Amino acid sequence: EIGTLVPSSSLQMICAILAMEPIDAVICFARDFGGGSITENVQSFILENCIRTADTQFQGAYLKRLLKKLISEIEYCGGVVLDELYEQYASHMIGLNDWDHCSNGNSKVLKKISFIYPGSSCLDSCGYISSCFGFKKFNVQLMCSTNMLEGDTGCCIWPSSLFMSEFILSHPEIFASKCCFELGSGVGLVGVCLSHVKASKVILSDGDLQTLANMKCNLELNDVKHVHYLHLPWEEESTSENHLRLHGLKPDVILGADIIYDPLCVPHLVKLLAAVLNRDGHWPGRNPVAYVASVIRNVETFDCFVSVAERSGGLSIEDITGKNRVLNFLPYLRSYQRCAVRMMKICYKS
Ligand SMILES: C[S@@+](CC[C@H](N)C(=O)[O-])C[C@H]1O[C@@H](n2cnc3c(N)ncnc32)[C@H](O)[C@@H]1O
């Protein structure tokens, strides 16, 4: 999809609203777009591109908060609020009150993540977007939970999967025409990106059944077909029959985003990685390679993973974060701290 030629701040503002970014970040984009204030033009643009076309059930609560903040911000600055902004706010208030009260912290929201492909002339030397025109977008829609813990943490989008997605889109050659197998796939964003860059086979897995069901829904929502889904709790995969089953998948590339955080899971995860990374003569060709993206929240857990992987798993781990350039496709996602994510390349030491 080729984006229309709009100034960068308006494109970023719309993308931020559709991705349900924090309201304050959206207000900043709206002010930038209006040259310092939220003008009537800016309001019309938001109404046309986000509010009128919204899915009330899954975006309504967010839009209600956005409308409230927009109106109070404009009034506070002595600006003119469009009548339709008041009307939309009123209809969201009436329509959503019951729904708001019923939600028990596990409500579903629909986030639209737009990967903005800049033309090469739009990039500065660090890979950041520096110009306003000529964008191409790749849009992914994801049903997520507002509760970070739902589905064993697998029903919301974590920064590592955003970074993994940017990595895939920056280096499609690593994944195109390859059989790609993801562990702990969560909402399925990485799977959609793998299909976008034409992986020959996409296998997604998770240990949580609720997460797996939501993931499947998301792949269908994005019209991604021919994906294989596996219920794969790492703890139950250490038997040799299960390893044989995994060898049968014949993966070329293994992926994992934000899967190293629970010290109790580390030995099981390492065993599983070691089993799938070593073809051990089960099928011809070179051993697969794994890419694992992580936010290192607890250094001890991460160090434990590295030492168990290297000593017991016979794996080699290389930090390639600074080595393989990853383009910034998500400049409007102010809540995403991409510099906190590390990318590891993991291989079997033969
Ligand atoms: C922090 S979430 C990351 C989800 C997704 N990869 C992302 O980055 O957005 C961790 C994921 O790993 C899965 N997971 C955690 N422990 C697991 C285990 N022992 N076996 C299988 N999957 C597990 C969770 O269900 C969840 O989907």
Side-chain angles (χ1 to χ4, degrees):
E1 178 193 335
I2 305 294
T4 45
L5 297 182
V6 288
S8 169
S9 54
S10 63
L11 177 63
Q12 296 203 46
M13 177 186 72
I14 295 303
C15 292
I17 295 174
L18 297 176
M20 296 189 181
E21 276 289 273
I23 305 282
D24 285 343
V26 173
I27 297 289
C28 287
F29 282 129
R31 270 202 229 102
D32 281 357
F33 178 28
S37 62
I38 305 172
T39 60
E40 290 165 67
N41 272 347
V42 175
Q43 297 170 50
S44 299
F45 197 76
I46 294 174
L47 283 166
E48 189 180 327
N49 289 282
C50 302
I51 311 280
R52 290 187 202 126
T53 50
D55 177 327
T56 328
Q57 190 184 354
F58 297 113
Q59 296 171 314
Y62 174 81
L63 292 179
K64 184 173 97 172
R65 285 191 288 121
L66 173 64
L67 285 162
K68 185 177 178 187
K69 183 76 189 195
L70 275 171
I71 291 169
S72 61
E73 189 71 21
I74 301 163
E75 284 177 345
Y76 180 77
C77 298
V80 175
V81 180
L82 292 182
D83 285 346
E84 192 184 341
L85 222 57
Y86 286 123
E87 287 156 16
Q88 288 282 356
Y89 180 54
S91 79
H92 276 76
M93 292 253 289
I94 297 161
L96 288 167
N97 263 350
D98 286 349
W99 186 84
D100 276 354
H101 290 140
C102 288
S103 61
N104 55 6
N106 272 358
S107 43
K108 287 265 157 125
V109 290
L110 178 66
K111 294 192 179 185
K112 298 185 179 181
I113 306 293
S114 301
F115 293 90
I116 304 176
Y117 276 85
S120 52
S121 59
C122 302
L123 292 176
D124 66 17
S125 56
C126 301
Y128 282 87
I129 292 171
S130 59
S131 155
C132 306
F133 300 108
F135 293 107
K136 204 176 99 175
K137 280 198 286 148
F138 165 49
N139 298 318
V140 181
Q141 307 190 65
L142 297 167
M143 287 299 262
C144 310
S145 174
T146 51
N147 177 356
M148 283 162 70
L149 300 180
E150 194 179 337
D152 198 13
T153 70
C155 291
C156 69
I157 310 169
W158 294 87
S160 300
S161 66
L162 294 169
F163 193 73
M164 181 65 89
S165 301
E166 290 186 309
F167 182 76
I168 294 167
L169 300 177
S170 301
H171 299 282
E173 72 287 350
I174 298 178
F175 307 94
S177 311
K178 301 273 169 48
C179 173
C180 299
F181 174 27
E182 194 194 8
L183 304 175
S185 305
V187 291
L189 172 63
V190 166
V192 179
C193 293
L194 288 170
S195 159
H196 183 72
V197 300
K198 311 246 176 312
S200 61
K201 190 170 181 185
V202 176
I203 306 163
L204 303 182
S205 72
D206 209 279
D208 185 87
L209 287 171
Q210 190 185 358
T211 293
L212 215 51
N214 184 58
M215 181 197 309
K216 213 171 161 194
C217 225
N218 281 333
L219 273 286
E220 281 164 14
L221 196 61
N222 290 283
D223 212 16
V224 177
K225 298 188 176 76
H226 311 301
V227 171
H228 301 254
Y229 302 93
L230 280 185
H231 178 226
L232 191 79
W234 308 327
E235 299 78 357
E236 293 172 20
E237 289 304 315
S238 46
T239 63
S240 47
E241 303 96 83
N242 282 335
H243 289 169
L244 278 178
R245 180 169 72 104
L246 295 177
H247 282 145
L249 304 173
K250 301 183 183 166
D252 301 300
V253 186
I254 323 294
L255 302 96
D258 220 333
I259 53 172
I260 304 166
Y261 55 92
D262 179 353
L264 294 177
C265 286
V266 164
H268 306 289
L269 184 59
V270 168
K271 237 180 192 170
L272 181 57
L273 279 171
V276 282
L277 286 174
N278 180 12
R279 288 189 180 198
D280 200 17
H282 287 287
W283 75 101
R286 286 167 50 185
N287 276 335
V289 179
Y291 293 93
V292 174
S294 286
V295 172
I296 303 175
R297 299 186 188 88
N298 183 318
V299 178
E300 279 170 23
T301 305
F302 191 77
D303 287 350
C304 166
F305 170 79
V306 173
S307 83
V308 175
E310 289 181 341
R311 275 201 252 126
S312 326
L315 302 175
S316 73
I317 301 180
E318 185 191 0
D319 185 338
I320 57 162
T321 319
K323 206 167 157 191
N324 292 42
R325 188 180 185 218
V326 178
L327 298 176
N328 183 359
F329 289 93
L330 303 164
Y332 61 89
L333 277 190
R334 294 292 154 89
S335 60
Y336 158 46
Q337 287 186 303
R338 68 200 301 276
C339 57
V341 188
R342 319 293 312 159
M343 179 63 80
M344 307 292 151
K345 183 175 175 183
I346 306 180
C347 302
Y348 191 78
K349 281 190 256 178
S350 37

